[in-house]
Amino acid sequence: MQAHDGMYIDGEWRPAAGPEKIEVRNPADGTVIATVPAGGEQDVAAAVRAARAAFPGWAATPPAERAARLGALRDALEARRDEIAETVTAELGSPLAFSHAVHASVPIAVCASYAKLAADYPFEEEVGNSRVFHEPVGVVGAITPWNYPLHQIVAKVAPALAAGCTVVLKPAEDTPLVAQLFAEAVHEAGLPAGVFNLVTGVGTVAGQALAVQDGVDLVSFTGSTAVGRQIGAAAGAAVKRFALELGGKSANVILPGANLTKAVKVGVANVMSNSGQTCSAWTRMLVHADHYDEAVQLAAASVAKYVPGDPKDEGTRIGPVVNAKQRERVTGYISQGVKDGATLVAGGPDAPEGHEQGCYVQPTVFAGVTPEMTIAQEEIFGPVLSILKYEDVEDAVRIANGTVYGLAGAVWSEDEEEAVAFARRLDTGQVDINGGRFNPLAPFGGYKQSGIGRELGRHGLGEYLQTKSLQF
Ligand code: NAP
Ligand code: MG
């Protein structure tokens, strides 16, 4: 695939300071598809300088003009829709149909939402005898993961730009190519030089440098809890703002009387999509004891439709995981589940038949999972579903809330009010009621160790603003 041998800094592609490179691999077969520069401290510092220099001008740009640039960015992404989908399929391994429907479409919709919000947002308000201005926080350091590579970029960059902030992005080393496409779209959209800057590189070098740069006012991170913890600690020590979108272990609670067939089918699809590499995935299915065996049978039938295949083939519903390390991590968890006494209903730790080469994992369903087991507590980030049994509603609430995470969840009931009442008792940032659709305007973010802050919609924009009050 085409790749830029440079960093996008101050409105142009510049050679990196050092010679280090990142090889981008296709996880379906392990081949190297492109090489991009691995930036270091010097590249990060140059990018932050460019962002600082561009900040006063962009912050003073009228919101209507910022909205127009975001509209142009949306159109530039739209024009690259097919290229985006093909690129994400090549570097992440997600099936092409899913890459089109989600990896390309969602960021385009989110970018459009911020074009509108930039125009409509009340950046000024009257509070008693005060006039309150909502001003941009400054230079944003954005560090993003590979699982929804473009979505996670746009979910940070679009609201930051709408707010009047300037940005330095360090994307995941596994998925730098779609980040380069995004930088091309920014350029085409006519954003002033330095407003958006891209430094590709590895987390422990470029990511680390960005997280501790003096010129960065806010660090926005999405990824693992382990790295998020370090970033929050460093930002706190520097009295710098930070936002963390971390992991999850979300519960899909099927209440007695719910449409079991539908709830299980949608629940399995939720976990298997993107090979289970979704922070908000409903990886714990909670079923009442009376319906448990039936739910396990339904889940086995549903998961059988997920046959691993080449993500480029049209009919493929599940591809590989992102890389060999992730495959080892996921299969390690599957072995742990077996060791802890859970029952394999489908899948297992071995490579799927005929896919010994790429980074494939068998779609796996465990029954007989108890709440304290590792597979019921830790984020696996692979195509692995655990089905747990509950005795009554109190038991279901306790199990659902019984992890360190609280990112998402689902509740199914024949009575919507009952589902809402149950959802109100969950310590989690989002709950889908009876299969409710993803809403790109709804605040997204975690309770507990799933994170700090919210992304998307007005709440996402608010993260990039600070207030100034003038009294009269
Ligand atoms: P990760 O290491 O947290 O990666 C997220 C981002 O942070 C990447 O851009 C990464 O760069 C960067 N990074 C890594 N170490 C850093 C450091 N010390 N300072 C600053 N930035 C740093 O996550 P991962 O290794 O890709 O995945 C590991 C696990 O994290 C997964 O199995 C999953 O459980 C979880 N995860 C969660 C999400 C989510 O959406 N919540 C997303 C991805 C992963 P590199 O790409 O170079 O590592
Ligand atoms: Mg990493």
Side-chain angles (χ1 to χ4, degrees), residues 316-336:
T316 297
R317 294 176 79 177
I318 188 164
V321 297
V322 66
N323 58 34
K325 187 175 156 207
Q326 193 65 17
R327 181 190 56 207
E328 297 319 308
R329 180 187 156 95
V330 174
T331 55
Y333 274 116
I334 296 173
S335 299
Q336 181 74 41

PDB file of all heavy atoms in Angstrom, residues 316-336:
ATOM      1  N   THR A 316     -16.921 -12.902   4.303  1.00  0.00           N
ATOM      2  CA  THR A 316     -16.278 -13.126   5.602  1.00  0.00           C
ATOM      3  C   THR A 316     -16.918 -12.271   6.687  1.00  0.00           C
ATOM      4  O   THR A 316     -17.076 -11.063   6.533  1.00  0.00           O
ATOM      5  CB  THR A 316     -14.766 -12.818   5.509  1.00  0.00           C
ATOM      6  OG1 THR A 316     -14.187 -13.738   4.591  1.00  0.00           O
ATOM      7  CG2 THR A 316     -14.085 -12.963   6.863  1.00  0.00           C
ATOM      8  N   ARG A 317     -17.286 -12.925   7.808  1.00  0.00           N
ATOM      9  CA  ARG A 317     -17.881 -12.187   8.927  1.00  0.00           C
ATOM     10  C   ARG A 317     -16.889 -11.956  10.047  1.00  0.00           C
ATOM     11  O   ARG A 317     -17.108 -11.112  10.901  1.00  0.00           O
ATOM     12  CB  ARG A 317     -19.084 -12.954   9.473  1.00  0.00           C
ATOM     13  CG  ARG A 317     -20.212 -13.034   8.470  1.00  0.00           C
ATOM     14  CD  ARG A 317     -21.336 -13.876   8.982  1.00  0.00           C
ATOM     15  NE  ARG A 317     -22.168 -13.148   9.922  1.00  0.00           N
ATOM     16  CZ  ARG A 317     -23.260 -13.658  10.475  1.00  0.00           C
ATOM     17  NH1 ARG A 317     -23.638 -14.889  10.187  1.00  0.00           N
ATOM     18  NH2 ARG A 317     -23.985 -12.956  11.308  1.00  0.00           N
ATOM     19  N   ILE A 318     -15.817 -12.766  10.082  1.00  0.00           N
ATOM     20  CA  ILE A 318     -14.805 -12.548  11.111  1.00  0.00           C
ATOM     21  C   ILE A 318     -13.412 -12.809  10.530  1.00  0.00           C
ATOM     22  O   ILE A 318     -13.178 -13.831   9.880  1.00  0.00           O
ATOM     23  CB  ILE A 318     -15.101 -13.390  12.389  1.00  0.00           C
ATOM     24  CG1 ILE A 318     -14.146 -13.002  13.525  1.00  0.00           C
ATOM     25  CG2 ILE A 318     -15.051 -14.892  12.103  1.00  0.00           C
ATOM     26  CD1 ILE A 318     -14.596 -13.481  14.900  1.00  0.00           C
ATOM     27  N   GLY A 319     -12.520 -11.867  10.731  1.00  0.00           N
ATOM     28  CA  GLY A 319     -11.150 -11.980  10.237  1.00  0.00           C
ATOM     29  C   GLY A 319     -10.206 -12.321  11.382  1.00  0.00           C
ATOM     30  O   GLY A 319     -10.624 -12.834  12.422  1.00  0.00           O
ATOM     31  N   PRO A 320      -8.922 -12.045  11.196  1.00  0.00           N
ATOM     32  CA  PRO A 320      -7.938 -12.309  12.259  1.00  0.00           C
ATOM     33  C   PRO A 320      -8.023 -11.226  13.341  1.00  0.00           C
ATOM     34  O   PRO A 320      -8.773 -10.263  13.198  1.00  0.00           O
ATOM     35  CB  PRO A 320      -6.608 -12.195  11.516  1.00  0.00           C
ATOM     36  CG  PRO A 320      -6.888 -11.210  10.414  1.00  0.00           C
ATOM     37  CD  PRO A 320      -8.312 -11.465   9.994  1.00  0.00           C
ATOM     38  N   VAL A 321      -7.232 -11.366  14.411  1.00  0.00           N
ATOM     39  CA  VAL A 321      -7.021 -10.259  15.345  1.00  0.00           C
ATOM     40  C   VAL A 321      -5.834  -9.444  14.814  1.00  0.00           C
ATOM     41  O   VAL A 321      -5.209  -9.813  13.820  1.00  0.00           O
ATOM     42  CB  VAL A 321      -6.812 -10.733  16.807  1.00  0.00           C
ATOM     43  CG1 VAL A 321      -8.070 -11.440  17.320  1.00  0.00           C
ATOM     44  CG2 VAL A 321      -5.584 -11.620  16.941  1.00  0.00           C
ATOM     45  N   VAL A 322      -5.524  -8.346  15.466  1.00  0.00           N
ATOM     46  CA  VAL A 322      -4.638  -7.348  14.855  1.00  0.00           C
ATOM     47  C   VAL A 322      -3.199  -7.804  14.645  1.00  0.00           C
ATOM     48  O   VAL A 322      -2.564  -7.427  13.660  1.00  0.00           O
ATOM     49  CB  VAL A 322      -4.657  -6.027  15.657  1.00  0.00           C
ATOM     50  CG1 VAL A 322      -4.056  -6.215  17.041  1.00  0.00           C
ATOM     51  CG2 VAL A 322      -3.959  -4.898  14.919  1.00  0.00           C
ATOM     52  N   ASN A 323      -2.661  -8.589  15.571  1.00  0.00           N
ATOM     53  CA  ASN A 323      -1.254  -8.995  15.433  1.00  0.00           C
ATOM     54  C   ASN A 323      -0.996 -10.271  16.237  1.00  0.00           C
ATOM     55  O   ASN A 323      -1.874 -10.753  16.960  1.00  0.00           O
ATOM     56  CB  ASN A 323      -0.295  -7.852  15.844  1.00  0.00           C
ATOM     57  CG  ASN A 323      -0.525  -7.383  17.274  1.00  0.00           C
ATOM     58  OD1 ASN A 323      -0.871  -8.186  18.146  1.00  0.00           O
ATOM     59  ND2 ASN A 323      -0.349  -6.096  17.524  1.00  0.00           N
ATOM     60  N   ALA A 324       0.212 -10.793  16.097  1.00  0.00           N
ATOM     61  CA  ALA A 324       0.543 -12.073  16.728  1.00  0.00           C
ATOM     62  C   ALA A 324       0.513 -11.962  18.255  1.00  0.00           C
ATOM     63  O   ALA A 324       0.087 -12.883  18.955  1.00  0.00           O
ATOM     64  CB  ALA A 324       1.911 -12.552  16.248  1.00  0.00           C
ATOM     65  N   LYS A 325       0.934 -10.812  18.766  1.00  0.00           N
ATOM     66  CA  LYS A 325       0.947 -10.614  20.215  1.00  0.00           C
ATOM     67  C   LYS A 325      -0.488 -10.676  20.775  1.00  0.00           C
ATOM     68  O   LYS A 325      -0.745 -11.289  21.816  1.00  0.00           O
ATOM     69  CB  LYS A 325       1.590  -9.253  20.519  1.00  0.00           C
ATOM     70  CG  LYS A 325       1.819  -8.994  21.977  1.00  0.00           C
ATOM     71  CD  LYS A 325       2.577  -7.689  22.181  1.00  0.00           C
ATOM     72  CE  LYS A 325       2.291  -7.138  23.572  1.00  0.00           C
ATOM     73  NZ  LYS A 325       2.434  -5.689  23.627  1.00  0.00           N
ATOM     74  N   GLN A 326      -1.398 -10.039  20.055  1.00  0.00           N
ATOM     75  CA  GLN A 326      -2.796 -10.041  20.484  1.00  0.00           C
ATOM     76  C   GLN A 326      -3.369 -11.469  20.404  1.00  0.00           C
ATOM     77  O   GLN A 326      -4.120 -11.893  21.282  1.00  0.00           O
ATOM     78  CB  GLN A 326      -3.595  -9.072  19.608  1.00  0.00           C
ATOM     79  CG  GLN A 326      -4.982  -8.752  20.135  1.00  0.00           C
ATOM     80  CD  GLN A 326      -4.959  -7.989  21.458  1.00  0.00           C
ATOM     81  OE1 GLN A 326      -3.946  -7.420  21.849  1.00  0.00           O
ATOM     82  NE2 GLN A 326      -6.068  -8.006  22.167  1.00  0.00           N
ATOM     83  N   ARG A 327      -3.002 -12.211  19.356  1.00  0.00           N
ATOM     84  CA  ARG A 327      -3.454 -13.602  19.240  1.00  0.00           C
ATOM     85  C   ARG A 327      -2.979 -14.411  20.457  1.00  0.00           C
ATOM     86  O   ARG A 327      -3.759 -15.158  21.052  1.00  0.00           O
ATOM     87  CB  ARG A 327      -2.922 -14.233  17.943  1.00  0.00           C
ATOM     88  CG  ARG A 327      -3.385 -15.681  17.758  1.00  0.00           C
ATOM     89  CD  ARG A 327      -2.663 -16.366  16.606  1.00  0.00           C
ATOM     90  NE  ARG A 327      -1.210 -16.295  16.794  1.00  0.00           N
ATOM     91  CZ  ARG A 327      -0.325 -16.310  15.804  1.00  0.00           C
ATOM     92  NH1 ARG A 327      -0.723 -16.383  14.544  1.00  0.00           N
ATOM     93  NH2 ARG A 327       0.972 -16.246  16.070  1.00  0.00           N
ATOM     94  N   GLU A 328      -1.716 -14.234  20.839  1.00  0.00           N
ATOM     95  CA  GLU A 328      -1.189 -14.989  21.992  1.00  0.00           C
ATOM     96  C   GLU A 328      -1.920 -14.604  23.265  1.00  0.00           C
ATOM     97  O   GLU A 328      -2.227 -15.436  24.118  1.00  0.00           O
ATOM     98  CB  GLU A 328       0.317 -14.731  22.163  1.00  0.00           C
ATOM     99  CG  GLU A 328       1.179 -15.211  20.992  1.00  0.00           C
ATOM    100  CD  GLU A 328       0.747 -16.551  20.439  1.00  0.00           C
ATOM    101  OE1 GLU A 328       0.605 -17.507  21.235  1.00  0.00           O
ATOM    102  OE2 GLU A 328       0.515 -16.659  19.207  1.00  0.00           O
ATOM    103  N   ARG A 329      -2.193 -13.310  23.391  1.00  0.00           N
ATOM    104  CA  ARG A 329      -2.893 -12.817  24.568  1.00  0.00           C
ATOM    105  C   ARG A 329      -4.294 -13.437  24.666  1.00  0.00           C
ATOM    106  O   ARG A 329      -4.704 -13.934  25.715  1.00  0.00           O
ATOM    107  CB  ARG A 329      -2.983 -11.293  24.448  1.00  0.00           C
ATOM    108  CG  ARG A 329      -3.678 -10.590  25.555  1.00  0.00           C
ATOM    109  CD  ARG A 329      -3.829  -9.106  25.194  1.00  0.00           C
ATOM    110  NE  ARG A 329      -4.951  -8.552  25.932  1.00  0.00           N
ATOM    111  CZ  ARG A 329      -4.829  -7.913  27.090  1.00  0.00           C
ATOM    112  NH1 ARG A 329      -3.656  -7.672  27.586  1.00  0.00           N
ATOM    113  NH2 ARG A 329      -5.897  -7.487  27.719  1.00  0.00           N
ATOM    114  N   VAL A 330      -5.007 -13.435  23.543  1.00  0.00           N
ATOM    115  CA  VAL A 330      -6.390 -13.932  23.532  1.00  0.00           C
ATOM    116  C   VAL A 330      -6.419 -15.443  23.763  1.00  0.00           C
ATOM    117  O   VAL A 330      -7.199 -15.944  24.585  1.00  0.00           O
ATOM    118  CB  VAL A 330      -7.094 -13.555  22.207  1.00  0.00           C
ATOM    119  CG1 VAL A 330      -8.477 -14.187  22.139  1.00  0.00           C
ATOM    120  CG2 VAL A 330      -7.188 -12.036  22.065  1.00  0.00           C
ATOM    121  N   THR A 331      -5.547 -16.184  23.071  1.00  0.00           N
ATOM    122  CA  THR A 331      -5.562 -17.640  23.245  1.00  0.00           C
ATOM    123  C   THR A 331      -5.089 -18.012  24.653  1.00  0.00           C
ATOM    124  O   THR A 331      -5.527 -19.010  25.214  1.00  0.00           O
ATOM    125  CB  THR A 331      -4.720 -18.363  22.172  1.00  0.00           C
ATOM    126  OG1 THR A 331      -3.393 -17.833  22.199  1.00  0.00           O
ATOM    127  CG2 THR A 331      -5.312 -18.172  20.792  1.00  0.00           C
ATOM    128  N   GLY A 332      -4.237 -17.174  25.228  1.00  0.00           N
ATOM    129  CA  GLY A 332      -3.820 -17.378  26.619  1.00  0.00           C
ATOM    130  C   GLY A 332      -5.022 -17.290  27.561  1.00  0.00           C
ATOM    131  O   GLY A 332      -5.170 -18.103  28.484  1.00  0.00           O
ATOM    132  N   TYR A 333      -5.889 -16.323  27.327  1.00  0.00           N
ATOM    133  CA  TYR A 333      -7.103 -16.191  28.142  1.00  0.00           C
ATOM    134  C   TYR A 333      -8.037 -17.389  27.941  1.00  0.00           C
ATOM    135  O   TYR A 333      -8.677 -17.856  28.886  1.00  0.00           O
ATOM    136  CB  TYR A 333      -7.846 -14.901  27.800  1.00  0.00           C
ATOM    137  CG  TYR A 333      -7.358 -13.695  28.571  1.00  0.00           C
ATOM    138  CD1 TYR A 333      -6.762 -12.621  27.918  1.00  0.00           C
ATOM    139  CD2 TYR A 333      -7.521 -13.614  29.951  1.00  0.00           C
ATOM    140  CE1 TYR A 333      -6.320 -11.503  28.620  1.00  0.00           C
ATOM    141  CE2 TYR A 333      -7.093 -12.509  30.666  1.00  0.00           C
ATOM    142  CZ  TYR A 333      -6.488 -11.457  29.999  1.00  0.00           C
ATOM    143  OH  TYR A 333      -6.064 -10.359  30.698  1.00  0.00           O
ATOM    144  N   ILE A 334      -8.116 -17.879  26.694  1.00  0.00           N
ATOM    145  CA  ILE A 334      -8.990 -19.030  26.444  1.00  0.00           C
ATOM    146  C   ILE A 334      -8.467 -20.240  27.228  1.00  0.00           C
ATOM    147  O   ILE A 334      -9.238 -20.945  27.895  1.00  0.00           O
ATOM    148  CB  ILE A 334      -9.090 -19.329  24.919  1.00  0.00           C
ATOM    149  CG1 ILE A 334      -9.754 -18.137  24.193  1.00  0.00           C
ATOM    150  CG2 ILE A 334      -9.881 -20.617  24.677  1.00  0.00           C
ATOM    151  CD1 ILE A 334      -9.756 -18.239  22.667  1.00  0.00           C
ATOM    152  N   SER A 335      -7.154 -20.459  27.207  1.00  0.00           N
ATOM    153  CA  SER A 335      -6.565 -21.559  27.981  1.00  0.00           C
ATOM    154  C   SER A 335      -6.827 -21.374  29.471  1.00  0.00           C
ATOM    155  O   SER A 335      -7.110 -22.344  30.197  1.00  0.00           O
ATOM    156  CB  SER A 335      -5.059 -21.640  27.735  1.00  0.00           C
ATOM    157  OG  SER A 335      -4.806 -21.881  26.378  1.00  0.00           O
ATOM    158  N   GLN A 336      -6.733 -20.146  29.931  1.00  0.00           N
ATOM    159  CA  GLN A 336      -6.978 -19.846  31.344  1.00  0.00           C
ATOM    160  C   GLN A 336      -8.426 -20.201  31.723  1.00  0.00           C
ATOM    161  O   GLN A 336      -8.685 -20.772  32.785  1.00  0.00           O
ATOM    162  CB  GLN A 336      -6.732 -18.352  31.596  1.00  0.00           C
ATOM    163  CG  GLN A 336      -6.929 -17.908  33.032  1.00  0.00           C
ATOM    164  CD  GLN A 336      -5.795 -18.365  33.939  1.00  0.00           C
ATOM    165  OE1 GLN A 336      -4.633 -18.314  33.539  1.00  0.00           O
ATOM    166  NE2 GLN A 336      -6.136 -18.842  35.124  1.00  0.00           N
TER     167      GLN A 336
END
